[in-house]
Amino acid sequence: QVQLVESGGGLVQPGGSLRLSCAASGNIFSIYVMGWYRQAPGKQRELVAVIISDGSTNYVDSVKGRFTISRDNAKNTVYLQMNSLKLEDTGVYYCNARVGVVHYWGQGTQVTVYS
């Protein structure tokens, strides 16, 4: 079992920045991939960024150059630094951890970009 707790969401104007955190606990040594997903109102949940156990990363095209996923192994925490935020980045952001074929999810944190 893996437990994930997100924090760091909030309200921000276009062009602003936020940093999301996801603290993992439990069977963390079995985690292969961690990532961030988001779900906008009325839309399906989509993958935003992932970081694999070897440190490699991948991003959805719409956030490339603006978002950065990173991790602090000592703190068992994954971060999502979000810069140059746009209205369309609004949504609930979920942390995800993959252990084999099993996905674990956090409770989600709201990010609202408003003008």
Side-chain angles (χ1 to χ4, degrees), residues 8-30:
L11 297 171
V12 65
Q13 292 187 310
S17 297
L18 285 173
R19 188 177 80 156
L20 306 182
S21 300
C22 174
S25 60
N27 191 17
I28 59 174
F29 297 104
S30 298

Side-chain angles (χ1 to χ4, degrees), residues 28 45 56 59 81 87 99:
I28 59 174
R45 191 174 299 188
S56 58
Y59 301 88
Q81 178 66 43
L87 294 174
V99 177

Side-chain angles (χ1 to χ4, degrees), residues 1-7 20-25 31 33-39 45 78 92-98 102-110:
Q1 293 285 335
V2 174
Q3 295 79 43
L4 303 172
V5 178
E6 303 109 330
S7 61
L20 306 182
S21 300
C22 174
S25 60
I31 297 174
V33 179
M34 289 194 71
W36 289 94
Y37 289 68
R38 67 185 176 191
Q39 188 164 18
R45 191 174 299 188
V78 171
V92 179
Y93 283 68
Y94 296 91
C95 181
N96 172 273
R98 192 183 314 170
V102 178
H103 289 254
Y104 295 92
W105 297 92
Q107 80 284 0
T109 185
Q110 177 70 45

